[in-house]
Amino acid sequence: MALQAVIDAIRSFPGVTRKGKIHEVVDLLPTDSFKHVAAAEGEDAAAIEDGENYILFAADGIMESLVESDPYMAGYFAVLVNVNDIAAMGGRATAMVDVMSMSDEILCGRMLRGMEEGVRRFKVPIVGGHTHPDCKYHAIDISIIGTVKKGDIILSSTAEPGDDIVMVMDLDGHYPKNIPYAWVTTLDKDPKLVQRQMEAAAVVAEEHLVHSGKDMSNPGCVGTLGMMLESSCMGATVDLDKIPVPSSEKDDFIHWLLAYQGCGFVYACPPENSQRVIDIFSKVGCAGAVVGKVDDSLQLKLSMDGEEGVLFDFSKDIITGCRPKARRHRTF
């Protein structure tokens, strides 16, 4: 498999390309003048001042195509993706609210059962929301809050040159028939293990092991790293051969790189802390490895089988266009 094929696949993947409009919305709704907003742009959740803690505040919507093809999984993923966003920031989820739009009661019922299972597995309640019972379309959107101590928060935008890049992933999963790029790892496990996996991310935060981190979402593991580097105004070199991969997926490695991980995180951390991060997640059934090194080149470079190529050059490329580190350092 040629490295260029990997680069082309990631750059053209809808999970990456559909992120490009985010900065246009962010630019219209700046938060700089709101002093209680400690972090927002480019992060998995906003951080709002609350005494010694931050309130973490996030929201996610599920695409209509998934709602109609598999309403149960749409409801379940609406919970999963939100819980992951809080965990990525080092926090613990508190509660969720939902907005449901529907025209078919049977479809709605299946979606609700998926949400019910998500609540049961992650032990985060849905405490309210809003329902549109007479729409011509189907949609589920969930918003979530969580908390984290101010000194423990993990941001996307604070990776440093010389950091190791550590990827941790649950390799025990499968792709549902109707969601070919979603690696589902949480539905067939004991809910207590699922909750311990989210708790592992909070432990990493409490032990102050990492400079930066994100959960592996729609852009896949390498695309998610790209978003972290973009936010941090950093570059990196990644050895693709070191990325953890299930034996069943080695024959379709590109597919694996593009998959949404049911439980997966990428961290930038001091080299002396990398093994501790890997060990914490190993105890909850996740494989981990140091896959690369952060630098200040503004380029995300990939290596494989002796080849090396540039995936993103952030001096001219964007994924989300959100660069909070650059905004913080800007003079007005």
Side-chain angles (χ1 to χ4, degrees), residues 224-270:
T224 297
L225 168 62
M227 290 195 298
M228 184 176 76
L229 296 171
E230 180 183 34
S231 294
S232 297
C233 297
M234 288 289 141
T237 299
V238 170
D239 184 346
L240 296 178
D241 296 319
K242 293 182 178 180
I243 293 177
V245 55
S247 57
S248 62
E249 302 305 308
K250 289 182 179 178
D251 290 337
D252 198 351
F253 186 56
I254 290 179
H255 193 168
W256 175 249
L257 295 178
L258 301 178
Y260 180 101
Q261 295 294 324
C263 178
F265 298 91
V266 57
Y267 293 112
C269 66

Side-chain angles (χ1 to χ4, degrees), residues 209-225:
L209 297 174
V210 305
H211 288 144
S212 187
K214 290 188 77 67
D215 69 302
M216 295 175 182
S217 57
N218 283 330
C221 59
V222 177
T224 297
L225 168 62

Side-chain angles (χ1 to χ4, degrees), residues 158-192:
T158 44
E160 297 184 8
D163 280 347
D164 278 351
I165 298 167
V166 175
M167 290 187 177
V168 290
M169 306 139 103
D170 188 343
L171 304 186
D172 179 21
H174 69 281
Y175 297 111
K177 180 180 178 181
N178 294 328
I179 323 175
Y181 284 96
W183 183 249
V184 175
T185 64
T186 57
L187 266 175
D188 299 324
K189 293 184 173 69
D190 186 328
K192 290 182 180 179

Side-chain angles (χ1 to χ4, degrees), residues 22-285:
I22 291 176
H23 73 98
E24 296 180 12
V25 178
V26 171
D27 290 347
L28 287 172
L29 302 169
T31 60
D32 297 354
S33 62
F34 297 90
K35 300 305 180 185
H36 60 293
V37 180
E41 175 190 359
E43 306 296 345
D44 288 295
I48 311 300
E49 297 273 358
D50 184 36
E52 295 181 354
N53 298 326
Y54 291 124
I55 296 172
L56 301 175
F57 193 10
D60 272 291
I62 301 299
M63 290 187 295
E64 186 178 8
S65 58
L66 175 55
V67 174
E68 293 186 342
S69 65
D70 196 330
Y72 178 88
M73 289 302 295
Y76 183 75
F77 264 84
V79 173
L80 167 76
V81 297
N82 275 281
V83 173
N84 278 346
D85 280 344
I86 298 300
M89 304 283 289
R92 293 178 174 89
T94 305
M96 300 174 285
V97 294
D98 68 273
V99 178
M100 297 181 64
S101 305
M102 72 197 77
S103 63
D104 184 299
E105 290 186 6
I106 294 176
L107 185 149
C108 176
R110 292 172 180 165
M111 192 159 55
L112 281 168
R113 284 195 292 274
M115 294 161 63
E116 179 185 30
E117 183 63 18
V119 167
R120 185 180 78 85
R121 289 194 160 270
F122 291 100
K123 210 171 183 178
V124 183
I126 293 177
V127 296
H130 184 77
T131 301
H132 296 289
D134 50 4
C135 287
K136 295 181 179 179
Y137 60 90
H138 306 101
I140 173 64
D141 307 285
I142 284 182
S143 184
I144 191 168
I145 60 169
T147 59
V148 64
K149 290 181 180 178
K150 284 185 174 178
D152 296 347
I153 192 168
I154 297 174
L155 298 175
S156 298
S157 54
T158 44
E160 297 184 8
D163 280 347
D164 278 351
I165 298 167
V166 175
M167 290 187 177
V168 290
M169 306 139 103
D170 188 343
L171 304 186
D172 179 21
H174 69 281
Y175 297 111
K177 180 180 178 181
N178 294 328
I179 323 175
Y181 284 96
W183 183 249
V184 175
T185 64
T186 57
L187 266 175
D188 299 324
K189 293 184 173 69
D190 186 328
K192 290 182 180 179
L193 175 58
V194 172
Q195 292 159 30
R196 285 171 54 213
Q197 289 180 333
M198 296 299 100
E199 181 66 14
V203 172
V204 167
E206 288 175 339
E207 294 191 13
H208 301 168
L209 297 174
V210 305
H211 288 144
S212 187
K214 290 188 77 67
D215 69 302
M216 295 175 182
S217 57
N218 283 330
C221 59
V222 177
T224 297
L225 168 62
M227 290 195 298
M228 184 176 76
L229 296 171
E230 180 183 34
S231 294
S232 297
C233 297
M234 288 289 141
T237 299
V238 170
D239 184 346
L240 296 178
D241 296 319
K242 293 182 178 180
I243 293 177
V245 55
S247 57
S248 62
E249 302 305 308
K250 289 182 179 178
D251 290 337
D252 198 351
F253 186 56
I254 290 179
H255 193 168
W256 175 249
L257 295 178
L258 301 178
Y260 180 101
Q261 295 294 324
C263 178
F265 298 91
V266 57
Y267 293 112
C269 66
E272 62 269 23
N273 295 344
S274 299
Q275 191 58 50
R276 175 60 180 156
V277 173
I278 292 168
D279 290 344
I280 288 170
F281 278 95
S282 176
K283 291 177 181 178
V284 294

